[in-house]
């Protein structure tokens, strides 16, 4: 029987496709009854039948695991919905064989497999690429050609469509949807998310984010995304779990222009990646894809790893004396950054200091910077690139007036497809980033903040995607010129800043959501971006370390955000940042504000004596350990299935374990990642030894019985 199976497998590979790395006997399954292509990359194998229906397998510990449903065929890998034309399957001709060709490009040398299918007048060429540098990943794309005599109106073009069999799963969802929505979550219930990757309409969400989703079970995970460094205004990354538990990941293009006779439409450059563990490996792989195409995160300066105080505890009207008054306390606590937050300016877009707070010439702002510098502190300035206010709108801070830049240059504004002024965050108008004059204006603003006023960096806030621009005065080749040019604006800010101050810090905050991939190379400090509770802090740190590098500077945001009580920010959980290798921050008020703050919840920001003892203790631990610049080891633990939850940071060849639970935990802690040897396990907060463990070469990770409430931070000290 074994000889028969082996002979069939060899015959199948010879007749169809057998890449050099494919085993002699592929996994059995219905898709192999009429396979049109069989492609393997490392531990991932994909088969397509003649209707382009995919079947996936993943190899783990020498065994192949079928990932696709086995009770029914999967939907096609590619599909096109055409208005006025009944749907049907693309069919690979009987007897047609895939072609193979060598590749060389940004991802190195590789191999392409091409499969051609037809449906009526449409021809679909499917390309499956594999590269030795990306074992476990298949790059999937297609071209759709109209062979008819009339234009075809495409309602949608569905791509890289992968359905996975039912299993207990967790998910990472990359699109920036709306503030506070979890993007790492359990897929315990039936749900669907469209995951629009363009700019959301004003007041209806965020926009942009990362063009990939990942789902994983205890045995295997699968990510689907696109690898392009560009922004797409009509792209989606839908994720769905049906009532049976099956999960579908895909990419889609919608709102497409008619496909003319003889014309071709290229799909998004998709990919499928299979892995063990949680989303960390998939996002790290995506990071390498971007880096290979020039989108590589910079190396942060040492100052990016230092603790932060932000004036937002005082909200929109932080005065000079309130911020200078706190400087003494910041030095005593060991914090090194002061952030001048929202509403220091008169009008969005002009970015001139408020006369009521900083004097007629803005001299108060320069005084603040000088005073901070004399105390040994560095200062960031909060602002939002590209936005301008126009009369007739308002935000919580103030009623808008026409900004000078909007008055003088109305021709710079983005217009929507109806010819009206496009609106972005906070109902603000937007300058078109594709215009050279706008880039020059942003350059001048950056010079003003860094060179003339003396700031040491930026807190660029509420940064999402930019909508398409239909302003005829701009003479764009495409309305998408605007969203694609957002990266150039961020590059202008970053490069100008670091020419003036090489050690400057540029933080970009996509409030409450994932960062947009197009501007990742133009910041040297990421932020967990308004997390709602400690769990979001920890999960977002893991994401950002995967996305930007295991040594990258990630700010855990204000510690007050780690817990909410009836809407009030009352968090005190510094461990959520320290134990994951993030920078700590706070927004306390001190001395006690002499005025009533607009949001009564902010009254909880006052640093009373009890809080000061707590803050002092934990900031000291943060500074002593210096884990923010350590190496994050996200591959060691699964954030979805491992309990307790564990994060590992390696600093000076010593592994530090951040261990977390909801409430009390008593049980065994498995200490992964240790080299052979003997170790003393020390609680570095309480400075208390918990025991010793022995690691044997080739043996299982050691286990240590522990007991704690909420968190335990330990280091494994090598013993000679």
């Amino acid at each position: 029987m074994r000889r028969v199976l082996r002979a069939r497998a060899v015959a199948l590979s010879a007749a169809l496709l057998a890449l050099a790395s494919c085993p002699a006997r592929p996994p059995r399954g219905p898709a192999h009854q009429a396979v049109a292509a069989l492609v393997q990359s490392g531990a991932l194998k994909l088969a397509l039948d003649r209707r382009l229906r995919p079947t996936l397998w993943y190899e783990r510990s020498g065994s192949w695991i079928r990932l696709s449903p086995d009770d029914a065929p999967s939907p096609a890998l590619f599909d096109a919905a055409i208005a006025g034309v009944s749907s049907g399957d693309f069919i690979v001709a009987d007897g047609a064989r895939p072609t193979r060709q060598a590749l060389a490009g940004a991802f190195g040398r590789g191999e392409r497999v091409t499969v051609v299918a037809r449906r009526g007048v449409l021809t679909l060429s499917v390309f499956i690429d594999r590269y030795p540098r990306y074992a476990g990943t298949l790059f999937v794309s297609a071209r759709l050609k109209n062979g008819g005599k009339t234009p075809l109106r495409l309602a949608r073009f569905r791509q890289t469509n992968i359905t996975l069999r039912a299993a207990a799963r967790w998910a990472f969802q990359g699109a920036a949807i709306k503030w506070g929505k979890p993007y790492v979550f359990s897929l315990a219930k039936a749900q669907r998310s469209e995951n629009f990757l363009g700019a959301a309409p004003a007041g209806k969400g965020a926009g942009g984010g990362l063009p990939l989703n990942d789902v994983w079970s205890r045995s295997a995970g699968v990510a689907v995304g696109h690898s392009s460094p560009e922004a797409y205004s009509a792209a989606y990354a839908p994720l769905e779990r049906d009532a049976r538990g099956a999960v579908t990941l895909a990419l889609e293009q919608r709102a497409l222009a008619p496909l003319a006779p003889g014309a071709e439409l290229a799909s998004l450059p998709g990919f499928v990646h299979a892995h063990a563990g949680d989303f960390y490996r998939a996002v790290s792989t995506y990071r390498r894809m971007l880096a290979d195409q020039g989108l590589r995160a910079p190396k942060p300066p040492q100052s990016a790893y230092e603790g932060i105080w932000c004036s937002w505890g005082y909200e929109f009207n932080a005065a000079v004396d309130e911020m200078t008054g706190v400087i003494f306390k910041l030095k005593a606590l060991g914090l090194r950054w002061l952030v001048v937050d929202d509403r220091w300016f008169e009008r969005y877009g002009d970015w001139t200091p408020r006369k009521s707070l900083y004097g007629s010439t803005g001299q108060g702002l320069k005084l603040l910077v000088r005073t901070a510098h004399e105390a040994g502190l560095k200062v960031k300035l909060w602002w939002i690139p590209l936005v301008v206010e126009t009369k007739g709108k308002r935000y919580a801070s103030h009623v808008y007036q026409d900004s000078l830049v909007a008055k003088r240059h109305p021709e710079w504004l983005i217009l929507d497809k109806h010819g009206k002024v496009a609106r972005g965050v906070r109902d603000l108008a937007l300058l078109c980033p594709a215009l050279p004059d706008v880039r020059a204006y942003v350059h001048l603003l950056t010079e003003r903040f860094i060179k003339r006023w003396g700031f040491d960096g930026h807190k660029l806030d509420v940064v999402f995607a930019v909508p398409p621009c239909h302003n005829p005065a701009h003479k764009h080749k495409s309305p998408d010129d605007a969203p694609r040019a957002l990266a150039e604006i961020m590059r202008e800010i970053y490069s100008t800043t670091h020419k003036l101050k090489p050690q400057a810090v540029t933080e970009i905050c996509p409030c409450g959501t994932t960062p947009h991939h197009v501007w990742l190379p133009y910041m040297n400090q990421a932020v967990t971006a308004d997390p709602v509770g400690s769990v979001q802090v920890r999960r977002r740190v893991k994401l950002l370390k995967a996305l930007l590098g295991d040594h990258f500077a990630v700010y855990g945001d204000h510690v007050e955000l780690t817990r909410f009580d009836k809407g009030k920010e009352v968090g005190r959980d510094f461990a959520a940042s320290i134990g994951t290798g993030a920078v700590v921050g706070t927004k306390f008020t001190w001395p006690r504000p002499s005025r009533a703050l607009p949001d009564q919840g902010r009254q909880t920001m006052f640093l009373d004596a009890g809080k000061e003892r707590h803050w002092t203790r934990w900031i000291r631990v943060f500074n002593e350990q210096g884990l923010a610049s350590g190496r994050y080891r996200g591959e060691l633990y699964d954030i979805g299935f491992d309990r307790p939850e564990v994060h590992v940071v390696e600093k000076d060849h010593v592994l530090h374990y951040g261990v977390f639970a909801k409430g009390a935990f008593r049980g065994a802690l498995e200490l992964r990642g240790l080299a052979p040897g003997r170790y003393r396990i020390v609680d570095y907060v309480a400075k208390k030894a918990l025991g010793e463990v022995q690691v044997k070469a080739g043996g299982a990770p050691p286990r240590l019985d522990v007991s704690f409430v909420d968190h335990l931070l330990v280091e494994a000290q090598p013993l000679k």
Side-chain angles (χ1 to χ4, degrees):
M1 181 63 181
R2 290 183 178 177
R3 290 180 179 178
V4 172
L5 287 174
R6 188 175 293 109
R8 288 178 178 174
V10 171
L12 176 65
S13 299
L16 299 170
L17 174 68
L19 298 178
S21 60
C22 287
R25 183 173 63 187
R28 288 177 282 180
H32 280 75
Q33 302 305 313
V35 68
L38 176 64
V39 189
Q40 181 179 346
S41 172
L44 171 64
K45 184 177 295 184
L46 180 148
L48 289 180
D49 70 9
R50 291 183 53 239
R51 296 179 183 272
L52 300 182
R53 296 178 298 199
T55 303
L56 292 183
W57 290 271
Y58 177 69
E59 185 181 27
R60 185 164 186 175
S61 302
S63 298
W64 286 94
I65 304 167
R66 182 183 173 115
L67 303 178
S68 303
D70 50 13
D71 56 347
S74 297
L77 188 66
F78 287 86
D79 188 27
I82 302 172
V85 178
S86 59
S87 62
D89 294 335
F90 284 94
I91 304 293
V92 178
D94 192 16
R97 299 177 60 181
T99 61
R100 299 170 61 187
Q101 67 183 92
L103 291 175
F107 301 145
R109 295 186 179 277
E111 189 171 41
R112 166 166 287 184
V113 176
T114 302
V115 178
V116 178
R118 291 178 171 82
R119 189 181 87 191
V121 300
L122 290 173
T123 299
L124 182 69
S125 299
V126 177
F127 312 112
I128 306 172
D129 303 340
R130 68 167 196 147
Y131 299 89
R133 292 184 60 245
Y134 285 91
T137 305
L138 292 170
F139 295 84
V140 183
S141 59
R143 298 190 72 86
L144 183 66
K145 182 175 182 179
N146 179 6
K149 298 181 179 180
T150 58
L152 297 175
R153 187 160 58 88
L154 296 175
R156 65 177 175 84
F157 187 17
R158 193 169 179 90
Q159 309 151 27
T160 321
N161 191 29
I162 299 293
T163 298
L164 305 171
R165 67 195 307 173
R169 295 188 187 277
W170 281 73
F172 161 72
Q173 191 165 261
I177 301 172
K178 68 177 182 178
W179 185 93
K181 182 178 176 64
Y183 44 80
V184 178
F185 53 92
S186 171
L187 274 175
K189 299 179 181 178
Q191 55 190 280
R192 177 179 174 83
S193 181
E194 296 296 324
N195 294 330
F196 179 48
L197 298 172
K204 295 185 178 180
L210 304 174
L212 78 155
N213 296 317
D214 182 69
V215 297
W216 72 94
S217 66
R218 288 186 181 275
S219 56
V222 173
V224 168
H226 81 66
S227 60
S228 174
E230 293 188 353
Y232 290 88
S233 64
Y236 295 76
L239 184 154
E240 180 179 9
R241 179 200 183 275
D242 66 20
R244 300 173 303 149
V247 175
T248 298
L249 307 166
L251 298 170
E252 280 192 6
Q253 290 169 284
R254 303 179 189 172
L256 296 161
L259 189 62
E264 292 186 335
L265 172 65
S267 74
L268 299 167
F271 66 85
V272 182
H273 173 75
H275 60 89
D278 62 24
F279 64 83
Y280 187 83
R281 286 183 174 89
V283 177
S284 296
T285 299
Y286 175 66
R287 177 185 82 231
R288 292 198 292 121
M289 294 178 194
L290 293 180
D292 282 348
Q293 298 173 91
L295 270 66
R296 184 185 303 275
K299 182 179 179 180
Q302 186 56 41
S303 60
Y305 300 101
E306 296 174 337
I308 299 167
W309 177 85
C310 179
S311 71
W312 186 235
Y314 290 101
E315 294 194 329
F316 293 114
N317 300 304
V320 174
D321 61 343
E322 289 173 329
M323 287 185 279
T324 56
V326 81
I327 287 175
F328 163 77
K329 192 61 67 175
L330 302 186
K331 288 196 68 177
L333 288 169
L335 297 172
R336 297 290 179 261
W337 280 94
L338 183 155
V339 180
V340 180
D341 211 278
D342 198 349
R343 197 60 180 113
W344 57 267
F345 52 91
E346 290 285 3
R347 297 182 184 91
Y348 293 99
D350 296 335
W351 305 111
T352 54
R354 284 172 67 185
K355 295 179 181 179
S356 61
L357 292 176
Y358 301 106
S360 59
T361 62
Q363 66 270 24
L365 200 59
K366 295 179 183 178
L367 172 64
L368 170 62
V369 173
R370 185 167 64 251
T371 304
H373 285 170
E374 290 172 352
L377 302 181
K378 292 170 283 290
V379 193
K380 285 185 200 170
L381 185 66
W382 181 103
W383 61 294
I384 310 175
L386 297 176
V387 300
V388 295
E389 65 180 82
T390 53
K391 197 171 183 178
K393 302 292 183 179
R394 67 177 299 153
Y395 188 60
S397 57
H398 66 292
V399 177
Y400 295 167
Q401 302 297 320
D402 286 328
S403 59
L404 291 176
V405 68
K407 282 182 179 180
R408 293 171 180 171
H409 297 286
E411 74 279 7
W412 288 0
L413 298 180
I414 292 178
L415 301 183
D416 65 19
K417 61 183 178 181
H418 304 294
K420 296 182 179 180
V421 173
R423 297 285 168 181
V425 297
R426 303 186 178 187
D427 221 2
L428 292 160
L430 295 158
L431 302 178
C432 181
L435 297 182
D437 285 346
V438 170
R439 289 199 290 271
Y441 180 63
V442 170
H443 176 89
L444 291 175
L445 288 174
T446 307
E447 280 196 334
R448 178 197 300 172
F449 303 150
I450 303 300
K451 185 176 181 180
R452 288 172 50 196
W453 294 355
F455 281 90
D456 305 293
H458 312 275
K459 177 182 177 180
L460 304 178
D461 206 12
V462 208
V463 181
F464 303 118
V466 172
C469 181
H470 298 266
N471 192 328
H474 299 176
K475 298 180 180 180
H476 296 310
K477 292 180 180 179
S478 164
D480 283 350
D481 287 354
R484 289 172 181 163
L486 173 61
E488 295 305 312
I489 294 296
M490 309 313 284
R491 186 206 304 267
E492 188 67 50
I493 296 169
Y494 185 83
S495 62
T496 302
T497 298
H498 292 275
K499 285 177 183 176
L500 295 169
K501 285 192 177 182
Q503 298 303 307
V505 171
T506 299
E507 169 198 347
I508 306 180
C509 181
C511 293
T513 67
T514 50
H516 198 355
H517 69 284
V518 303
W519 43 253
L520 295 179
Y522 312 120
M523 65 176 178
N524 53 20
Q525 187 182 70
V527 60
T528 57
D530 298 325
V532 183
S534 296
V535 172
Q536 282 196 3
V537 172
R538 302 192 303 263
R539 292 174 180 174
R540 292 179 180 188
V541 171
K542 183 162 195 174
L543 167 69
L544 293 168
K545 294 286 188 178
L547 181 64
L548 294 156
D550 47 22
H551 286 89
F552 199 79
V554 176
Y555 172 30
D557 217 325
H558 311 142
V559 70
E560 292 83 359
L561 294 168
T562 58
R563 189 167 76 86
F564 288 76
D565 182 14
K566 298 179 181 179
K568 295 183 178 182
E569 300 166 10
V570 296
R572 303 159 59 93
D573 186 8
F574 285 95
S577 288
I578 296 172
T580 55
V583 175
V584 300
T586 179
K587 56 183 175 183
F588 64 78
T589 59
W590 188 92
R592 187 181 294 276
S594 58
R595 59 187 172 89
L597 299 177
D599 180 352
Q600 293 304 309
R602 303 291 179 191
Q603 299 293 351
T604 61
M605 296 298 111
F606 176 61
L607 188 73
D608 59 25
K611 285 176 68 174
E612 183 171 352
R613 287 191 294 271
H614 185 80
W615 263 236
T616 298
R617 180 192 189 208
W618 282 97
I619 294 171
R620 184 180 65 247
V621 170
F622 166 75
N623 287 327
E624 288 175 350
Q625 296 297 318
L627 299 184
S629 60
R631 177 191 174 199
Y632 185 82
R633 299 290 303 278
E635 79 283 3
L636 293 176
Y637 292 88
D638 185 327
I639 206 169
F641 291 100
D642 285 331
R643 293 294 179 268
E645 177 186 322
V646 184
H647 301 257
V648 180
V649 181
E650 183 177 347
K651 179 75 172 183
D652 298 329
H653 308 293
V654 174
L655 297 191
H656 298 73
Y657 296 81
V659 189
F660 301 92
K662 186 176 181 179
F665 176 88
R666 183 185 296 272
L669 169 62
E670 185 173 278
L671 297 164
R672 301 174 190 168
L674 293 170
R678 190 163 186 81
Y679 299 85
R680 177 182 293 114
I681 309 304
V682 177
D683 178 339
Y684 60 79
V685 179
K687 300 187 183 302
K688 176 183 177 182
L690 303 182
E692 295 183 2
V693 297
Q694 180 76 39
V695 181
K696 297 181 180 179
R703 297 165 71 88
L704 180 72
D705 288 333
V706 297
S707 176
F708 63 90
V709 176
D710 295 334
H711 52 74
L712 175 67
L713 307 186
V714 300
E715 62 183 12
Q717 299 176 349
L719 297 174
K720 295 182 180 180

